[in-house]
């Protein structure tokens, strides 16, 4: 699905040059669940932004589904993001003025899907995320765990091939964090590729594969012993 070859990202100001990523080589196969870990400032978020096509590398190549996206226009990248990638953020990033239903429906409106089809898909994903009883509520009327369920529903409603999750449990207590991780694991077991940035070892154990970064370089890339969601309390 994804191939990064000698990918680097350098940020430059008038007098400072900072290497956020340094010669990254990474292959992500369809259906994997990968946890990207490392200390603050190691390049995790920069890597996730590039994988999500929200930032561009300074050098090296990024192939998505066999296509080098270096020459894609912003419109082409936006279309690829809309159709292929779902994002889950630590801060939920829900729109306060929209209801749960409307927040989840929004990506489908951008894809110009009919109202009837949108209704069917939104209702189905809200039910799957066990948040359908809150469809008419605003985000501020929900708990943190409920908001993150809505965020996952919004990420999944367009049936993306890839979910990118940035510290998805960072603002949640342990119980709600476990519930969100179990949901991501279940989505992955149903075939969705998941790449997650986390600083928590417990969350990292849900993944099939662990990639550790340090100073913008991959220091470790190995398979993990994943948690069975049925064993999570």
């Amino acid at each position: 699905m994804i191939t990064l070859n000698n990918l680097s990202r350098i940020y430059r100001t008038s007098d400072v040059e900072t290497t956020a990523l340094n010669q990254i080589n990474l292959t992500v196969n369809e259906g994997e669940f990968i946890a990207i870990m490392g200390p603050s400032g190691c390049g995790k978020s920069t890597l996730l932004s590039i994988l999500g096509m929200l930032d561009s590398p300074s050098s090296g190549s990024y192939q998505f589904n066999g296509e080098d996206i270096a020459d894609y226009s912003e419109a082409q990248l936006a279309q690829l993001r809309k159709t292929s990638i779902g994002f889950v953020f630590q801060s939920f990033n829900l729109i306060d003025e929209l209801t749960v239903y409307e927040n989840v429906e929004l990506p489908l409106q951008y894809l110009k899907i009919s109202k009837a089809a949108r209704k069917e898909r939104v209702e189905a994903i809200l039910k799957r995320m066990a948040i359908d009883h809150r469809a008419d509520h605003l985000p501020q009327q929900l708990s943190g765990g409920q908001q993150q369920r809505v965020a996952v529903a919004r990420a999944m409603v367009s049936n993306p091939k890839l979910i990118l999750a940035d510290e998805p449990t960072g603002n949640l207590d342990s119980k709600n964090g476990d519930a969100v991780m179990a949901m991501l694991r279940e989505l992955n077991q149903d075939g969705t590729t998941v790449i997650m940035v986390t600083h928590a070892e417990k969350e990292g154990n849900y993944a099939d594969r662990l990639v550790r970064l340090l100073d913008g370089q991959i220091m470790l890339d190995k398979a993990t012993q994943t948690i069975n969601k049925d064993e999570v309390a």
Side-chain angles (χ1 to χ4, degrees), residues 166-177:
D166 189 2
E167 299 281 5
T169 66
N171 283 337
L172 304 177
D173 59 30
S174 179
K175 181 179 178 181
N176 282 306

Side-chain angles (χ1 to χ4, degrees), residues 24-152:
I24 296 290
N25 291 288
L26 181 69
T27 298
V28 178
N29 298 313
E30 192 169 341
E32 284 195 291
F33 189 156
I34 298 177
I36 300 173
M37 303 187 69
S40 296
C42 71
K44 302 188 300 294
S45 294
T46 299
L47 179 55
L48 203 69
S49 292
I50 289 176
L51 290 172
M53 305 172 198
L54 301 171
D55 192 7
S56 301
S58 303
S59 60
S61 66
Y62 175 6
Q63 291 187 357
F64 189 86
N65 285 337
E67 295 285 333
D68 192 325
I69 65 171
D71 295 327
Y72 277 32
S73 67
E74 183 51 46
Q76 288 174 306
L77 291 174
Q79 183 63 22
L80 193 54
R81 283 194 299 267
K82 286 189 291 187
T83 57
S84 301
I85 303 175
F87 295 89
V88 180
F89 303 95
Q90 176 180 348
S91 57
F92 317 136
N93 282 18
L94 301 176
I95 299 174
D96 291 339
E97 294 77 19
L98 299 182
T99 65
V100 165
Y101 183 99
E102 291 166 341
N103 267 281
V104 175
E105 182 188 32
L106 195 58
L108 301 181
Q109 292 180 314
Y110 292 141
L111 293 173
K112 296 181 170 58
I113 292 172
S114 71
K115 186 174 181 178
R118 294 200 307 266
K119 185 174 186 293
E120 181 179 350
R121 286 168 69 166
V122 172
E123 288 179 348
I125 195 67
L126 288 178
K127 185 174 183 179
R128 182 176 183 182
M129 294 295 114
I131 199 69
D132 50 314
H133 62 296
R134 297 285 192 175
D136 294 329
H137 287 68
L138 296 171
Q140 59 266 33
Q141 296 173 306
L142 308 179
S143 68
Q146 289 171 331
Q147 289 187 60
Q148 195 60 295
R149 285 175 180 270
V150 176
V152 174

